[in-house]
Amino acid sequence: MADGFENVRAWYVVQVVNGMEYAAKRNIEQRIKSLHMEDYVFQVFVPETTRQEKNKKGVVKTVTEKLYPGYTFIDMIVTDDSWFIVRNTPLVTGFLGSSGGGAKPVPLTKDEIGNIFRQAGVKLELNIDYKVGDTVKVISGSFAGQELEVLEIDEDKQIVKVAVEIFGRQNEQELRMDEVEAIK
């Protein structure tokens, strides 16, 4: 499809009517299903956090609050059609990073969406295509660009231990799994 988009799956920020994040999420999901766009739009996410709060009587209750009021996050492949369908969904006001006039939206980086998921207490599903002993490339953080050997993988904590040479000595360093990628 020659529509001017890269056709790469990524996370985008969608502006919605404030206070209507879940209604907008439902609208997007229903519209995607009814227009058979499931191959282009994969997930709609409203990040929340919960905390304990005491009221005046000392009763503790759990309070849920949206981390980014007025925004939802959408995992999709942007094409002319998918972009049009999402931005013209009721309660959606537009894509963040899209200035209008056909300007395509700017996707979030792996670091940005990883931080959003961590704030919401959600584990980001990572496609781990490396194992202990493999060499990985660091794609973000202070070791970005380096190729390092994998010493240990902890999928529960989403941490990978790598061997880093600092001042001529081998050291173990823990990195988040979203900071490294397999070398192809």
Side-chain angles (χ1 to χ4, degrees), residues 45 47-49 67-68 109-126 140 157-159 175-179:
F45 178 58
E48 294 180 324
T49 187
L67 290 172
Y68 300 95
T109 65
K110 284 184 180 181
D111 247 3
E112 290 169 331
I113 193 64
N115 286 334
I116 291 164
F117 272 87
R118 272 188 293 286
Q119 286 175 351
V122 176
K123 285 188 179 181
L124 188 58
E125 289 184 28
L126 299 169
S140 65
K157 294 181 181 175
Q158 295 192 331
I159 297 289
L175 299 174
R176 294 189 324 263
M177 286 183 173
D178 62 346
E179 292 181 307

Side-chain angles (χ1 to χ4, degrees), residues 114-175:
N115 286 334
I116 291 164
F117 272 87
R118 272 188 293 286
Q119 286 175 351
V122 176
K123 285 188 179 181
L124 188 58
E125 289 184 28
L126 299 169
N127 183 16
I128 303 168
D129 48 357
Y130 51 84
K131 60 189 180 311
V132 173
D134 286 355
T135 302
V136 293
K137 183 174 183 174
V138 182
I139 55 174
S140 65
S142 53
F143 299 106
Q146 292 190 39
E147 295 181 1
L148 307 170
E149 180 187 351
V150 176
L151 302 173
E152 189 178 320
I153 298 171
D154 186 340
E155 290 188 43
D156 291 335
K157 294 181 181 175
Q158 295 192 331
I159 297 289
V160 60
K161 282 188 183 177
V162 293
V164 179
E165 187 174 316
I166 302 175
F167 302 118
R169 298 179 69 186
Q170 285 286 81
N171 294 291
E172 282 187 13
Q173 183 67 42
E174 286 187 353
L175 299 174

